[in-house]
């Protein structure tokens, strides 16, 4: 079998790596696009946790973290730092997804949270350096969580993919399509047939589908922007605060990564101009919630596009019999990527038994 994955961000690279590991005799080609183009993987803050307020995202988040923590190789590849996580809920706590034994289970009691997690309120949050949350808000605090380097994980998986015999092609795919019983891609004006092609091009997906005359699964682009600040005072653990939108994590010895969600949609993929209003919103939210912290200076601002779908999940979606997309998320797809790539590889290889035999072992 000849299969290709178009796009070498974290999602596409992990999918190609899974496919080659599970089917070593198959020819797997990974098309990286323009290696100089900025992408969301290189920019990702890499927060990872088991808890997610969206029940559909909770299982892949928990699965991804479990696989990461169970594998010394993956922990090293991802530069995993287990320093905890805080998720502040703006909605009433009754709407939080239930868990049992670390996995979401319909009808399970709310108190059955991911392993090592607990529900806390304002006083306990203040001890973590997060202040002034509304009285009705409540937070899920996880000890077994933290952050990774999605870029390093991508590079290490790419290296192992090559070692296993996978082919990496640093070319831009111009068009894709189906012809009879096979997929066809066009690169540098030449046609290349494959038994299967998967588009995992992130924010470049809508343009590729449009050039190919294909209707995609509602993929849109959206700005992601965050700032790295040099700070003094008390740094919180990695956190998301729904009440202000502020999210962040420690960065280096004296830094803090901070950002707020954007509503800048349908932008051209690639590097974006910095949004000064996003910087002001971030700094205002930080003054409100991180009262024991002082922002000394803005060291760096990162602004890129990422791909979103209506489902707000990283998942495989069919374009035809031989064509699929593998993209989408909520701007934090890095925390879902291990589980999502394993599930996608299992579907493409026609069976969970193949997936179980390859995705839960050491690389």
């Amino acid at each position: 079998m000849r299969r290709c994955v178009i796009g070498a961000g974290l999602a596409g690279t992990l999918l190609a790596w899974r496919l080659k590991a599970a089917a070593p005799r198959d020819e797997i080609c990974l098309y990286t696009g323009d290696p100089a183009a900025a992408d969301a993987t290189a920019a990702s803050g890499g927060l990872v946790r088991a808890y997610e307020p969206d029940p559909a995202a909770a299982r892949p988040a928990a699965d991804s973290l479990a696989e990461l923590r169970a594998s010394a190789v993956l922990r090293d590849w991802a530069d995993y730092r287990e320093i905890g996580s805080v998720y502040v809920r703006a909605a009433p706590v009754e709407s939080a997804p239930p868990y049992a034994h670390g996995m979401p289970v319909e009808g399970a009691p709310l108190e059955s949270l991911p392993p090592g997690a607990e529900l806390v309120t304002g006083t306990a949050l203040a001890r973590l350096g997060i202040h002034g949350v509304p009285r009705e808000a409540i937070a899920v605090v996880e000890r077994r969580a933290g952050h990774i380097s999605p870029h390093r994980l991508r590079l290490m998986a790419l290296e192992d993919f090559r070692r296993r015999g996978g082919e990496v092609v640093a070319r831009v795919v111009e068009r894709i399509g189906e012809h009879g019983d096979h997929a066809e891609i066009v690169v540098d004006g030449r046609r290349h047939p494959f038994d299967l092609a998967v588009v995992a091009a992130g924010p470049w997906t809508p343009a590729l589908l449009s050039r190919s005359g294909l209707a995609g699964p509602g993929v849109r682009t959206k700005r992601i922007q965050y700032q790295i600040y040099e700070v003094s005072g008390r740094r919180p653990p990695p956190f998301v605060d729904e009440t202000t939108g502020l999210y962040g994590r420690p960065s280096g010895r004296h830094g803090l990564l901070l950002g707020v969600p954007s509503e800048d949609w349908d932008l051209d993929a690639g590097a974006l101009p910095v949004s000064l209003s996003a910087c002001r919103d971030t700094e205002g939210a930080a003054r409100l919630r991180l009262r024991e912290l002082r922002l000394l200076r803005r060291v760096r601002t990162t602004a890129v596009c990422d791909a979103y779908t209506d489902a707000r999940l990283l998942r495989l979606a069919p374009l035809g019999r031989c064509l699929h997309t593998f993209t989408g998320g909520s701007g934090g797809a890095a925390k879902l990527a291990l589980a999502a790539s394993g599930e996608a590889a299992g579907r493409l290889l026609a069976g969970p038994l193949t997936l179980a035999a390859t995705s839960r072992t050491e690389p």
Side-chain angles (χ1 to χ4, degrees), residues 9-316:
L10 181 61
T13 299
L14 287 178
L15 177 58
W17 171 68
R18 297 278 203 197
L19 291 171
K20 190 62 181 175
R25 296 183 180 181
D26 286 2
E27 181 180 341
I28 311 295
C29 296
L30 177 62
Y31 287 84
T32 66
D34 181 359
D39 69 5
T41 294
S44 173
L47 301 182
V48 290
R49 59 183 179 268
Y51 175 78
E52 278 294 308
D54 178 359
R59 184 174 293 276
D63 278 355
S64 291
L65 183 59
E67 182 176 9
L68 180 70
R69 296 186 73 252
S71 168
V73 171
L74 288 176
R75 292 196 303 273
D76 175 67
W77 283 9
D79 193 23
Y80 174 54
R81 306 298 176 91
E82 190 163 276
I83 57 176
S85 170
V86 179
Y87 196 104
V88 181
R89 288 296 310 273
V93 70
E94 288 77 14
S95 66
Y99 287 76
H101 307 295
M103 308 298 292
V105 176
E106 185 175 356
L110 174 65
E111 291 75 17
S112 299
L113 291 168
E118 60 179 335
L119 296 173
V120 303
T121 53
T123 302
L125 282 175
R127 290 197 290 269
L128 296 171
I130 300 173
H131 298 267
V133 298
R135 181 172 297 179
E136 67 274 12
I138 198 162
V140 176
V141 176
E142 294 180 63
R143 296 191 302 273
R144 302 173 187 175
H147 63 89
I148 65 171
S149 168
H151 180 56
R152 175 175 162 80
L153 177 56
R154 181 246 308 265
L155 291 179
M156 298 303 289
L158 188 63
E159 181 180 315
D160 194 61
F161 173 72
R162 284 194 177 103
R163 184 185 64 79
R164 294 173 183 269
E167 182 180 1
V168 179
V169 184
R171 292 288 187 274
V172 175
V173 174
E174 298 156 11
R175 294 188 306 280
I176 61 173
E178 284 188 326
H179 291 273
D181 61 351
H182 67 273
E184 187 175 85
I185 70 171
V186 178
V187 179
D188 296 332
R190 299 182 60 184
R191 300 176 184 273
H192 301 266
F194 288 92
D195 296 297
L196 182 78
V198 180
V199 180
W204 287 271
T205 299
L208 175 57
L209 298 184
S210 177
R211 291 196 304 268
S212 305
L214 296 170
V219 182
R220 300 178 66 189
T221 59
K222 183 181 179 183
R223 173 192 294 272
I224 294 179
Q225 179 174 309
Y226 62 76
Q227 292 74 237
I228 303 289
Y229 294 92
E230 181 184 343
V231 301
S232 64
R234 186 174 188 176
R235 294 189 299 177
F239 73 94
V240 173
D241 174 23
E242 284 187 355
T243 66
T244 61
L246 188 68
Y247 61 86
R249 68 164 176 82
S251 176
R253 292 186 63 187
H254 304 292
L256 190 67
L257 180 155
L258 291 172
V260 293
S262 164
E263 289 303 321
D264 293 341
W265 289 91
D266 302 319
L267 305 172
D268 291 335
L272 298 176
V274 169
S275 167
L276 295 180
S277 65
C279 294
R280 289 191 295 269
D281 290 346
T282 298
E283 291 163 11
R287 286 192 294 270
L288 185 67
R289 288 287 177 264
L290 308 179
R291 298 175 186 171
E292 298 177 67
L293 191 78
R294 183 182 175 195
L295 305 182
L296 300 179
R297 67 184 181 95
R298 193 187 312 155
V299 177
R300 186 178 78 249
T301 299
T302 297
V304 296
C305 277
D306 202 358
Y308 286 67
T309 62
D310 293 340
R312 300 179 71 83
L313 287 173
L314 177 60
R315 59 172 46 164
L316 198 69

Side-chain angles (χ1 to χ4, degrees), residues 327-362:
T327 191
S330 60
K335 64 180 172 291
L336 311 178
L338 281 170
S341 63
E343 179 185 0
R347 288 177 56 190
L348 293 172
L349 296 171
L353 291 178
T354 303
L355 172 62
T358 61
S359 68
R360 294 294 181 260
T361 58
E362 288 288 296

